[in-house]
Amino acid sequence: MQLAGRGVQVIEVIPPGMRTTLLGRHDDERSVPLEDYLTETVDLLREKPDAREIVGERARFFRDAAANGTYDEVLAMLSDYR
C-alpha cells in the first residue's frame, strides 16, 4: 500500500520447504530442489504478471491451511518435522 501509485509492483512469493544446504536440508526428499522452485516461480510470474501473490503447488498446502480448516493438522505435522 505504501508504494501504490508510484509505479512499483509488489508480488508476494511464498516458497515451499527448499532442498538447500541451509538448515541441513540438502538431502531432504520432502523439500523442493532450488531449480524446480525457481522454474515454477518464473513460470507463474510469466502466467500471472499482475498477481499480488505467487504460491507454488508444494507451498499451497501450507498457505491455505487456515482457510480450509487444516491449520491444526498442518501445524502438528510441521512440529514433528525433523
Side-chain angles (χ1 to χ4, degrees), residues 18-19 24-33 81-82:
M18 302 298 304
R19 191 179 308 164
R25 296 173 92 178
H26 55 281
D27 292 327
D28 186 349
E29 291 297 320
R30 296 172 289 187
S31 299
V32 178
Y81 185 77
R82 306 233 188 284

Side-chain angles (χ1 to χ4, degrees), residues 4-80:
R6 297 181 186 223
V8 176
Q9 179 184 11
V10 176
I11 302 174
E12 179 180 7
V13 178
I14 302 169
M18 302 298 304
R19 191 179 308 164
T20 68
T21 55
L22 182 65
L23 303 175
R25 296 173 92 178
H26 55 281
D27 292 327
D28 186 349
E29 291 297 320
R30 296 172 289 187
S31 299
V32 178
L34 181 59
E35 287 297 320
D36 293 353
Y37 166 69
L38 293 174
T39 298
E40 180 183 33
T41 299
V42 169
D43 288 346
L44 288 169
L45 287 166
R46 284 186 181 129
E47 290 171 20
K48 304 172 185 179
D50 295 324
R52 297 178 79 182
E53 173 181 275
I54 295 292
V55 184
E57 192 60 37
R58 299 271 302 264
R60 184 152 302 283
F61 173 75
F62 304 107
R63 168 63 178 84
D64 295 343
N68 67 24
T70 60
Y71 179 83
D72 290 339
E73 174 187 330
V74 171
L75 181 60
M77 182 187 75
L78 290 174
S79 297
D80 288 339

